Amino acid sequence: DDYVWIVDPIDGTANFASGLNLCGVTIAVVDKKTNKALIGVIYDPHREEMFVAVDGRGAYCNQKPIQSNNNASLLQDTIINAGCPADPNAFAASMRGASALNSKCRGLRVIACSALTLAWIASNRLGAHFGYDLSSWDLVAGALIIREAGGKITNINGSPYDVQTRSMLATTKSCSGGVHDEILQVLKEADAVSFERTN
């Protein structure tokens, strides 16, 4: 009764339905009193990788400690994943952000699976990921894994991340200072930090 389980049995559903190996399972446990994630798990069945974090105890991939530090301390050296939201206005904001960042970073990707991109930031495969109009089951487990691996996650407007956050920017430890702030500034200047839902 004191905890909430947040589960997404298939994150990256469209990828899965199309036969793309870019999907995973997410599980998080949140303390109802503090609204804080205590456990986060992301499982990639295609690569047989299990990413796990327990609040205050670090992050692991297949039981080996991971640190989110890919040494890309400049935006021009950072590979960034852009979100691919279903809402047309959120998608337009994401594309404005992608267009603005394209010439400033090492490269852009659109993987369309927040679980994997967050796990890959925690394990140094990507430098950053920004996404819009996400649900708690997309973010909570990955946010804890990134935090425990030493990375940074905030709301896309720069305010602190919490389990209610729906649009976010996540970066590796090496990007978590100046690069994180620089990406936020580029997104702000591109009018890509807010949108009005189409509903």
Side-chain angles (χ1 to χ4, degrees), residues 36-37 54-56 59 122 142-153 161:
K36 184 177 181 182
V54 176
D55 184 44
L144 178 61
I145 293 168
I146 285 175
R147 192 181 81 223
E148 288 295 317
K152 183 175 184 176
I153 185 165
Y161 169 86

Side-chain angles (χ1 to χ4, degrees), residues 50-67:
M50 178 85 70
F51 298 87
V52 178
V54 176
D55 184 44
R57 296 189 184 176
Y60 301 84
C61 178
N62 292 346
Q63 302 180 348
K64 295 178 182 175
I66 55 174
Q67 283 289 315

